[in-house]
Structures are given as C-alpha cells and as structure tokens.
Amino acid sequence: MSSGALDVVFLREIVGRKDACNMKMNNLGNTYASGTNSMTADFYVSPNGNDSWSGRLPEPKENDGPFATVKKAQEAVQTLLKTQQERQSVRVMLRAGIYYLDQTLEFGPEDSGTENTRVVYSAVPGEKVVISGGRRIEGGQWAEVNGQNAWVVDIPEVKEGQWNFRQLFVNGERRPRTRLPKEGMYRIEDLLGFDWQKQWEAFLDGTKQFVYSGTDIQPWRNLHDVEVIGVSRWITNRLPIQEVDVEKRLVTFDRTSLFALDDTNPPRPSVYWVENVFEALDTPGQWYLDRPKGKLYYLPLSGEDMKTIEIVAPRLTQVLRLAGREGAPVEHIHFEGITLSHNEWKPQSDWSSSLQAAIDVPGAVFFDYAGQCSLRSGTIEHVGTYGVEVNLGCFDIEISHNLMTDLGAGGVKIGHFFDVEPNERGKQRKASLPKGPHSRRITVANNEITNGGHLFPGSVGVFVGENPDNKVEYNHIYNLPWMGISVGSLQTFEPSQAVSNVVEHNHVHHIGRGVMSDIGGIYTNSISPGTRIRYNVVHDVNHRDYGGWGIYTDHGSADILVEKNLVYRCSSGPLFVSVNRNITVENNIFAFGKEYQIFRAGQTTWFQYAFQRNIVYYNQGQVLDYWNTNNNSNFLYDHNLYWNASGAPLMFSGKGLEEWQSAGQDKHSIIADPLFVDPPEHDDFRLRSGSPAAQIGFEAWDISDVGSKP
C-alpha cells in the first residue's frame, strides 16, 4: 500500500473511531437518561446558577435553583454526608457550559463516600460540561505586526510576572506558537568539544552550546524567552537561549541539556527547532506572547470574527485533584461524562528534560492516596501535561471509556520512574524516587488516547512504573511521537514491584511520527513475573534516527509473557529483545519489519528468551539481527514458521538457514507461506484454510474487539 493510500485509510479510521466514541458517549447518556434516576440528583450546578441558592433544582425557579460552581456543590456534599442519618449515595449533576476555575478542584478524605454510598459528579446526559483550568482572554485591538494584521491583547498579569503560558486555544482548537523552521527541523552544524571517539561518554555530559547553520538562529526580540527544542535520542530538551554570537554562529543556553544533542545513525549532531520567536509571527493561526510588555499577538485565521471569538489560555497546573494521605485515603468518588481542559506545567528553573517518558510532567487529573475512585466516559483535551497521573498510595482506580486528545504529554501515567541513570554531569542519581507505597490495581480500559506530545514529545500513551497488578486493556492509542504503552522502569535486574501487570487487547499504531528515536509500541523494563502482553495489535511504528520497534522488551525486563500479538510495519522491526531474562515469546505474528523482524541485543550468561510457535512474514531485511554472535546457548528458537515473500533466502544475522540450524536453533521450524488472507494491501492476517501454521502448533485468535470493548 502506498503511503498516500495508507494516510487515507488512517484518516478514515480516526474519523470512524471518533464517531464511534461519540456514539458510545451518546448511548451511555441515553441509557442513563432512560433509568429511574435519569434527572434526579441531590445537587445541581449550572452556569446560570447561584451559590446562594439551595442547589436542589436543575433550573432557576422562584429565586432558587442550581449552584453556580462545583466548589459550592462540593461543600454542600460534605455537609450532607455529615448530617445524613442513613448514609446514601450522593449525586451532583452539572448542566452544560464551561466552568472556569480560579483554583484546582481538590477533593480530600472529607469528601469520600463508602462502598455502598458513592459520591458521584456527573454531566447531565447529552449535555457537554467543561471544567477548565484556563481563563478566557477578552478585549483586544488591531495592529500591524511584521506586515500582518494582528489582534493584540494587553494582559496586565503577564506584564507583572504573575502569568505566563506556552499554549493558546482559539474556538476550541490548539493554536501554534511561532516556530522555526515552519516544517521539519534544523540540523546542528557542530557540537563544540564533543568527543565522537567516546560518543557515549560525551552523550552523558549534555550540551550547553552549539554551532548553528547559516542564519537559523538570530539575536531575536526577547531572546531569553526563545526556546530551542533539541532532540536527544529518546527525549527532547527545552533550552531557553542565553546568548547568540552571530559571527561565530554560536548559541549558548541558560542550562545544559540532560543528554547531548547527538545522533547515532550515522554519528553526527542532532536536530532541533525553535519556538516563541516574535520575528517569525507571519502565518494565520500563529501567536506570540510578549512577556515583558504583557501583550498577546494573534494572527486570526480567515473567517474568524474577533468580536465573537473565544481565546483561552491555561492558568492552573492541575484541573482536578483527589489527594488523601497515608492512612486516610480519598475513597469512592466518581466522575462521569465531564470534559477537563486547559492546564499547563511550569518546570523548575534548571529543568531541561526528563530521563525518560516525560516522567517529571504531572497530570491534569491527579490521584494521590486515593482508592476505589473512577474517571469514566469523559474527555480530557487541550492540556499541556499528561491527561491523568496516578501518584502514590492509590488502589482500585478505574480510568475508562474516556477520550484523551490534544495532550501536551501522554495520556495516563501510573507511578514513577525508578532507576539509576546518569545526570547531565555524568554522575549517578536516583530518579524520581518518591516516598510512600506504590499504587496498585489501576485499570486503564477502553480509552482513546491520541494527538499527544505537543509540549513534551518523549511521553507515553499509558505509562506504568514500578507498580503491580494493573490492567491496561482495550485502549486505542495512536498518533503519538514516542511510546504507546510502557510498563516497568528498572533496567538493573534489581527487585521490582512492576509485577502481574496485564497489557491486553490494545490497538497501538502510528507511533513515532519520525520525531523521536528508540521507540516501542509496547515497551517494558523490570523483573515482572506474572506480567503478560497478549492479544494486542501494534503497527506503523516509525523512528527518526534509529529504533522503531513494535514490542520492545528493554534492558532489565524479565519473566514476561509475550503471546498472541499481531505486530507489523515497523521501521526497524516488530520485536526487540534487549538484555533480558526468561522472556517467553510465543504464538505471535511478526510482519513487515523494514530492517529485520527480530533484533536481539546484548550478551548474557543466563537464558534470555524463548521464541516459539510464531509466524514471521516479511519482504525485506533479515529475519534476525543481533549483537555478539558468539553465544547461541542463551536463547532458543524453535517450532516457528518463516516466509520471505520477496523470494530471497532467509538470513539470521548474516547466517543462512542451514548454518543457523547447525547452531542448534529452529530445528523443528518450517519455511512456508502461512496463507494470510491479504496482508500487504488490507492488513488482513487471518489464516486461510490449509495454512501450514497448524504444523507448528500455532493457535489463531480473534482481534475483532481490539482497542474497544462494548
């Protein structure tokens, strides 16, 4: 299939999924509306309400009616819970409209329900309720800017240093800050003093300055507010400019990047882009914030009426918090059908990037010491961070049936990244090591997570750190610049808590977008007995410099089952097995890797993995590539079916089949066409009658419900 045809299919799938998601929400609303409690609630909230009213009526009537704010309803619920003679469930229903918050909506132990008396905050079925951590920007006047007719708004809080923002939303859509180049990325010309003979050691030292090409960087207006976003393998660094030497074409930053800005394939300086340049404000839809003058400049799109336009900028770091404490968790509070929007995170002054997975970036929704709570059937959109963060001490949290889109980072982040990694000075440090119990039994199911990484490209659709007993299932995850799903974080074979995690029935695709490197559709670390990756469909994973893999068991992964997954069309290969221990890879379909189908890294004295009863189908590259070909005793290949549709001989890291088998591998495997229905044109990997896959004991499975479960 041509790339153009694939794009058409992909767009149709996105539209279809969004329609299905909307239909699902509507059906949920209709089902709820037909119930006995469809429009009954203990309290109501409405933009037409008044906090001096009782909150008992859904509409204003005779000087009474709904509350105007969720905060007031929360206070009323607290009072009701204290005064109830017989505990009963409490429901607050929100009417359609946008609720702009002055401060984060926070719930503590005093807001808790019980197992039999839940506290529910929900949208009225069929009505769109938005809780916003932003503020609507009013006023403005026309002015000529860079030869363009711009809308200019004075914002005193910005000038006074009380407010700054990197995002702007106009009529419900994200608008881009000025960016250079307009498309693609610049290439660094030279990393001064970088030792290419010791590239890994130099990589750990980070980058403080570099030589740019031509006039790519200039001493622009408000230079210290200009950010260079430098790509460093699996992360991006945000680097405010300190000074520019035009004669030397040398840019210096006010901080050092976490890792050096280098590429490996081939070794050379990496790429970057520049944001927030006043002189680049020349394209409709762009904006620029002049922080010293407190002026917002916006170039309207054709047809936008500045008299009626809605401009929103984020103010709060988090929109919703459920935060208890050890021994006193928040419990049994549920949110249904609500849209949460408009937040932004301001990192500490010396921050340039996270070690991995944008792990420092918080969530617009935050759970901490919370149990048996849920976030269901809603939307998280237009945010500058992760959608949801589950921090410490949480248990039995359900995050399901939500749409998460237009995200600054990823979708859901559970726990923290526990690892020993080098910092920007090459020293060792413990990363993000919080104190407190690890969260467990978190369910992330039936969510659609897409269009992320706008501010922090190195983030993950669903991240699970050193946390046990979680379920990531039936999610549709796509259009992200880095990982789809990541589980575990230890790369050192130390004792781990990332055990018994389930990653099943997820549809993960179009990951990478050619921005980042070292990418996996589904990625693992840690010793993880009981963890299983099954029934997933992963495809179209594309790297920029190196490493676009479908399923990626990275360094330190152990005791994981990878079974009955369909993985295809990845820019490097469908499977990467790194320095692992006791990984079982069986009964999968791996197809259409561009460089190879399986890559094995590292050399160990213990047994790494078994690869059995799999179908490998390809038309370019090798079957297998791996580092260090001297030891074939620490892994096992057998009872597999291979087919090279190009007609070329099978190659195993440069070895032909006979030499590979003489080394003790694939003694009972077969070479035959598996007889898929139509893999190259329609991605149909069903087996036709008479398939030789039965000879290796291969068991077909149903993928019709992948990514969504009714």
Side-chain angles (χ1 to χ4, degrees):
M1 184 183 295
S2 69
S3 60
L6 178 60
D7 288 342
V8 171
V9 171
F10 180 39
L11 288 173
R12 286 175 179 168
E13 180 170 0
I14 291 175
V15 172
R17 285 284 184 171
K18 191 166 182 71
D19 289 344
C21 184
N22 290 337
M23 185 178 296
K24 186 184 295 184
M25 299 302 180
N26 290 336
N27 288 341
L28 179 69
N30 293 336
T31 300
Y32 179 64
S34 64
T36 56
N37 295 322
S38 61
M39 284 297 293
T40 61
D42 296 275
F43 300 104
Y44 298 88
V45 183
S46 169
N48 298 322
N50 189 315
D51 281 352
S52 65
W53 290 343
S54 70
R56 295 289 189 173
L57 301 177
E59 299 281 356
K61 183 179 180 181
E62 297 178 357
N63 202 31
D64 196 7
F67 295 130
T69 66
V70 182
K71 183 66 176 177
K72 181 62 178 179
Q74 178 188 7
E75 294 171 357
V77 170
Q78 292 175 358
T79 300
L80 181 60
L81 291 173
K82 292 176 182 177
T83 58
Q84 279 182 338
Q85 293 184 353
E86 294 184 7
R87 289 295 298 267
Q88 297 179 348
S89 293
V90 179
R91 179 176 289 273
V92 176
M93 298 189 73
L94 281 66
R95 307 305 307 267
I98 302 178
Y99 299 83
Y100 292 105
L101 301 177
D102 293 326
Q103 57 186 12
T104 299
L105 191 60
E106 183 162 355
F107 293 81
E110 65 277 9
D111 298 294
S112 294
T114 67
E115 184 175 357
N116 298 318
T117 59
R118 308 182 336 146
V119 176
V120 181
Y121 291 80
S122 70
V124 169
E127 297 187 11
K128 183 172 182 178
V129 172
V130 179
I131 298 178
S132 170
R135 194 185 90 183
R136 185 166 181 172
I137 296 176
E138 307 281 1
Q141 58 187 358
W142 293 104
E144 184 175 322
V145 178
N146 299 335
Q148 305 286 324
N149 202 22
W151 189 251
V152 184
V153 184
D154 289 310
I155 308 177
E157 297 96 324
V158 171
K159 185 176 181 179
E160 295 165 4
Q162 299 175 7
W163 190 19
N164 191 14
F165 48 87
R166 283 196 180 103
Q167 303 172 97
L168 196 73
F169 304 94
V170 178
N171 289 341
E173 296 180 350
R174 181 182 292 269
R175 292 287 187 263
R177 286 204 301 180
T178 56
R179 182 192 195 276
L180 293 173
K182 298 294 184 184
E183 295 181 0
M185 291 175 268
Y186 292 133
R187 173 73 62 178
I188 297 170
E189 183 173 299
D190 187 22
L191 295 172
L192 294 177
F194 190 89
D195 188 347
W196 293 99
Q197 299 302 314
K198 299 180 179 179
Q199 187 174 359
W200 175 251
E201 290 85 347
F203 169 72
L204 301 180
D205 290 336
T207 297
K208 176 73 172 181
Q209 56 181 198
F210 62 70
V211 176
Y212 56 86
S213 296
T215 59
D216 291 349
I217 294 178
Q218 291 294 297
W220 294 298
R221 175 174 172 176
N222 297 330
L223 186 63
H224 295 175
D225 285 348
V226 177
E227 287 186 310
V228 167
I229 290 79
V231 180
S232 181
R233 306 189 191 185
W234 61 85
I235 64 174
T236 56
N237 289 271
R238 286 193 164 270
L239 303 169
I241 293 177
Q242 180 173 304
E243 61 181 2
V244 174
D245 187 325
V246 176
E247 291 185 2
K248 296 180 179 179
R249 291 183 286 111
L250 182 68
V251 59
T252 303
F253 307 111
D254 71 354
R255 64 200 67 186
T256 301
S257 65
L258 180 56
F259 297 122
L261 307 182
D262 70 328
D263 274 349
T264 64
N265 188 29
R268 56 178 173 167
S270 187
V271 296
Y272 69 98
W273 68 91
V274 185
E275 291 183 0
N276 204 37
V277 176
F278 176 78
E279 290 82 350
L281 184 65
D282 58 9
T283 305
Q286 287 184 328
W287 64 278
Y288 174 83
L289 183 65
D290 190 324
R291 188 175 52 84
K293 293 184 178 181
K295 291 182 180 294
L296 170 66
Y297 297 88
Y298 174 64
L299 299 184
L301 294 173
S302 178
E304 287 183 338
D305 184 354
M306 302 312 295
K307 294 180 181 179
T308 60
I309 200 168
E310 179 190 69
I311 302 177
V312 178
R315 292 182 65 251
L316 304 179
T317 298
Q318 291 166 331
V319 180
L320 175 64
R321 287 175 57 92
L322 281 77
R325 56 189 181 276
E326 193 163 9
V330 182
E331 295 184 296
H332 300 287
I333 303 179
H334 307 273
F335 296 87
E336 299 175 353
I338 296 172
T339 296
L340 301 158
S341 299
H342 309 135
N343 81 314
E344 189 164 77
W345 173 62
K346 182 180 179 181
Q348 59 269 32
S349 60
D350 63 345
W351 187 91
S352 57
S353 186
S354 298
L355 285 167
Q356 187 165 312
I359 198 63
D360 299 324
V361 180
V365 178
F366 179 78
F367 292 93
D368 195 47
Y369 289 96
Q372 303 180 82
C373 298
S374 67
L375 184 71
R376 290 177 48 91
S377 306
T379 298
I380 299 176
E381 62 182 2
H382 312 322
V383 298
T385 60
Y386 272 90
V388 181
E389 177 181 6
V390 180
N391 193 40
L392 297 175
C394 294
F395 56 94
D396 300 312
I397 302 291
E398 178 186 345
I399 303 162
S400 71
H401 299 88
N402 300 289
L403 170 63
M404 302 185 195
T405 185
D406 192 18
L407 307 165
V412 180
K413 184 180 72 167
I414 300 171
H416 283 67
F417 187 79
F418 298 76
D419 202 356
V420 177
E421 292 281 0
N423 66 10
E424 61 271 21
R425 293 172 298 279
K427 299 177 181 178
Q428 298 289 314
R429 69 178 181 187
K430 268 293 189 191
S432 301
L433 185 58
K435 296 180 180 179
H438 296 215
S439 293
R440 61 182 62 226
R441 297 193 305 275
I442 313 302
T443 297
V444 182
N446 279 274
N447 300 286
E448 181 173 357
I449 301 173
T450 184
N451 188 18
H454 285 285
L455 296 182
F456 307 101
S459 51
V460 183
V462 178
F463 174 87
V464 180
E466 285 300 297
N467 304 84
D469 305 314
N470 304 290
K471 293 182 179 180
V472 182
E473 56 187 13
Y474 295 101
N475 298 285
H476 184 203
I477 301 172
Y478 61 102
N479 191 20
L480 301 173
W482 199 51
M483 300 287 187
I485 299 171
S486 178
V487 180
S489 62
L490 288 175
Q491 297 191 341
T492 54
F493 293 104
E494 295 177 88
S496 164
Q497 293 199 43
V499 301
S500 299
N501 288 301
V502 173
V503 180
E504 295 182 346
H505 301 283
N506 300 284
H507 187 189
V508 181
H509 64 98
H510 289 86
I511 301 297
R513 300 195 310 220
V515 177
M516 309 291 292
S517 298
D518 213 350
I519 298 168
I522 299 176
Y523 173 90
T524 69
N525 292 129
S526 299
I527 299 175
S528 304
T531 291
R532 57 184 189 264
I533 301 170
R534 303 192 302 179
Y535 313 122
N536 303 285
V537 175
V538 181
H539 61 93
D540 292 285
V541 179
N542 293 289
H543 68 270
R544 183 189 60 81
D545 179 46
Y546 75 94
W549 298 291
I551 294 178
Y552 180 178
T553 55
D554 202 359
H555 198 120
S557 297
D559 304 319
I560 297 172
L561 172 64
V562 180
E563 176 189 41
K564 293 184 177 178
N565 301 281
L566 168 60
V567 189
Y568 61 96
R569 209 161 46 236
C570 301
S571 58
S572 292
L575 177 67
F576 182 5
V577 181
S578 186
V579 179
N580 296 163
R581 177 180 291 160
N582 195 31
I583 302 294
T584 300
V585 183
E586 62 183 20
N587 213 107
N588 303 277
I589 298 173
F590 298 116
F592 298 130
K594 294 183 179 179
E595 299 176 17
Y596 36 76
Q597 312 316 305
I598 306 104
F599 189 89
R600 171 205 167 211
Q603 183 68 24
T604 68
T605 57
W606 57 79
F607 186 76
Q608 281 188 272
Y609 67 104
F611 187 91
Q612 300 183 91
R613 293 189 299 281
N614 300 287
I615 299 177
V616 178
Y617 183 99
Y618 68 109
N619 54 17
Q620 59 181 312
Q622 300 190 72
V623 175
L624 171 68
D625 197 3
Y626 60 97
W627 302 339
N628 195 325
T629 60
N630 297 325
N631 186 348
N632 292 326
S633 63
N634 56 359
F635 59 90
L636 172 66
Y637 281 69
D638 208 359
H639 299 284
N640 299 300
L641 188 159
Y642 299 104
W643 186 245
N644 188 342
S646 73
L650 274 70
M651 299 300 295
F652 298 81
S653 196
K655 297 179 180 179
L657 179 61
E658 291 186 4
E659 185 180 1
W660 176 246
Q661 289 180 323
S662 67
Q665 300 295 336
D666 274 317
K667 289 187 174 182
H668 304 95
S669 298
I670 61 176
I671 314 302
D673 187 341
L675 301 180
F676 291 128
V677 172
D678 190 4
E681 293 297 325
H682 296 97
D683 301 337
D684 192 339
F685 290 90
R686 290 176 298 164
L687 297 171
R688 298 201 300 266
S689 176
S691 169
Q695 298 176 36
I696 63 168
F698 184 86
E699 298 178 358
W701 69 97
D702 183 12
I703 65 170
S704 61
D705 64 351
V706 69
S708 177
K709 182 179 181 181

